[in-house]
Every structure is written in structure tokens, then in C-alpha cells.
Amino acid sequence: MTDTSAEGCFMEKRVKTRVWIDPAHLGDVGQGVREQLNRCLMRYTTALGGVPTHIISAALEERSGAIVGDAPGVNCSAKANYMVFAPQPGQLLIGEVNAVSSDHIGMLIYNNWNASIPRAHIPAQYEYDHEVERWCDRDFDSPLIEEGSAVSFAFQAFEMGGDGAFSVIGSLATPHTGLVPKAKGRPEPSQKRKATDDASEAAVAHSGKPDAARVKGKKRKKVGDVDTAQAGAAEETEMNGDAPLSTKKKSKKKTKEKAAVDSPRAVGADTAAVDASSVTKKKNKKKKKQLEA
């Protein structure tokens, strides 16, 4: 009986292979073996029939190796146990939809690998709605599959690319496939934004306080009113030919300050002039007395 659960798509596999040990790793052969074996991780490997995710154990089969031709490394035989992602046809997987179009449904599985359900593997009960960009069920006429949805699908095959790159091909034409029900109380992806907006409005209505955006708008409006009033006052001043009230107050204040500063100087100058006159008179009287004598 085939295991159709998503957990059954990972299995441990043992493989024997030949590795090249660099001269730099001859002091730590185990590290050199692991570096060679790590190169096939997260890539489809034909010998394993799947995608190795990590090495469970690795070791050399023998303590000797061969130097081939002018190759700098030492060729050795090694064995390793891998954890391999190797789903079987018909096995159920779950992916998160990240792309929706009229010819396929794109998904990400295990947050690592791309998966795709082509139009040929989407049953006739589904139809694509171009207006809302979702796949809908014709029987219920309700949105089903969109970006962010979780979908259960049946594994079909690996689609190979270059250098070990791959994509998973799936199908919705088998039982127990389709949209995975959301957890209780969890909104659909298209409803998240609306639910957030409704919650914000409800909180504002309950507290009686405007939100930050509205407060900022009011502040900008007040600033605009002040600027408008100032502009109106300036226009009225230009029409009447008078200086603004604030300008008059400033001019009077400057005049008073100047008078207060200049007054002590003027008084000091007058006093100095009187003193000089009295001294001159005294000198003239003294000279007159000397001449009479």
C-alpha cells in the first residue's frame, strides 16, 4: 500500500559513490568527503531518485585511494546515508499558492521548492475568473484558489532543469485534493485587508479618538488656515497702502530702544560742554588779575 501522506515523501537512502579528496583535506579526510557529498544537496539526483536534503552519515569504504593521471586529488570510494525528498506518483503534498494564471497554479512547497499544477491537471469543475484572478468552483460559484491559499495536490513527476534544478508537477484530478480549509477564525487572504480596516474603524468609534491619519489631516488643515489668513492680511495691507499692525509695533519698539540708548549719551555730552565753559572763565579771570597786578 502506498503512503499518500505528505510525511511519507521523505525517506532515508544509502548510496555508494566515488569522491575526490583534495590534498588540502588529507589531514581531515572526513571533512573532505562531506564537502564532496554536500555538492548534490537540494538538487535532483538520479542515483537517489529524488532530492537529498542533508547527510545523515558518511564515511570512506577503504583507507586507500588512487591517483589518476595528473589529477591533483585522491580518488576514493565512499558511502553515505541521505535524507531524500522522493514523493511517489499520487502522493499528496501541500503547497502555498504564490502565482495564479489561466494556464497554471504556482506554489511553494516546504518553503524551498517550486511546484506547478498545469491547466491539463485542473479538473473541469474549476474555472478561472479573469476579473478577480482566482480559480473558482463552478458548483459553488465561490472564490477558492488565490495567492496565499493552501492547496493539497497529488504529486505527478519531477520536471528537470539544468544543473540539478527541478520543479514539482502536481494534479488536482485525484481525491482529497483542493483547497485546504483555513483554521477556525482565520480570514481568507483577500479578506485580511478588509478585516484590518474594519477593526481599525471599530477601535476609533469605540474610543472616540481619531486615528493618526485623520489627526495629521486636521493639523495640516489648521496650518493651511493660518497661512491663508496671513496671506489675506498681506493682500489687504497692499491694497490700503498701510504697514501691517505687527510691523508698526516692531517699529515703535525699535524707536524706544534707540531713544533709551541714545539719551544717556546726549546728557553726558551736555554736561561735558558746561564743565569746559566754567574752566575757561576761571582761567580768563586769573589772567586778568595777573595783568592788573
Side-chain angles (χ1 to χ4, degrees), residues 52-67:
T53 59
H54 66 276
I55 299 173
I56 298 174
S57 62
L60 290 175
E61 278 200 308
E62 51 191 21
R63 300 188 61 82
S64 62
I67 297 176

Side-chain angles (χ1 to χ4, degrees), residues 7 84 166 176 181-182 184 263 284:
E7 291 78 5
V84 182
F166 69 95
H176 309 295
K182 298 292 182 180
K184 187 177 181 180
S263 295
N284 292 334

Side-chain angles (χ1 to χ4, degrees), residues 19-97:
V19 295
W20 290 90
I21 307 299
D22 293 334
H25 292 123
L26 292 179
D28 188 352
V29 177
Q31 179 65 24
V33 171
R34 282 185 172 273
E35 283 195 6
Q36 290 290 317
L37 297 176
N38 283 341
R39 295 180 179 178
C40 68
L41 294 182
M42 306 303 287
R43 301 173 183 271
Y44 183 85
T45 305
T46 304
L48 295 171
V51 182
T53 59
H54 66 276
I55 299 173
I56 298 174
S57 62
L60 290 175
E61 278 200 308
E62 51 191 21
R63 300 188 61 82
S64 62
I67 297 176
V68 182
D70 58 353
V74 179
N75 188 261
C76 303
S77 177
K79 57 183 179 181
N81 288 348
Y82 287 97
M83 182 60 67
V84 182
F85 173 65
Q88 302 301 311
Q91 195 164 15
L92 298 181
L93 300 173
I94 296 178
E96 182 177 351
V97 178

Side-chain angles (χ1 to χ4, degrees), residues 267-281:
V267 173
D270 295 340
T271 304
V274 172
D275 293 342
S277 177
S278 60
V279 171
T280 303
K281 288 182 179 180

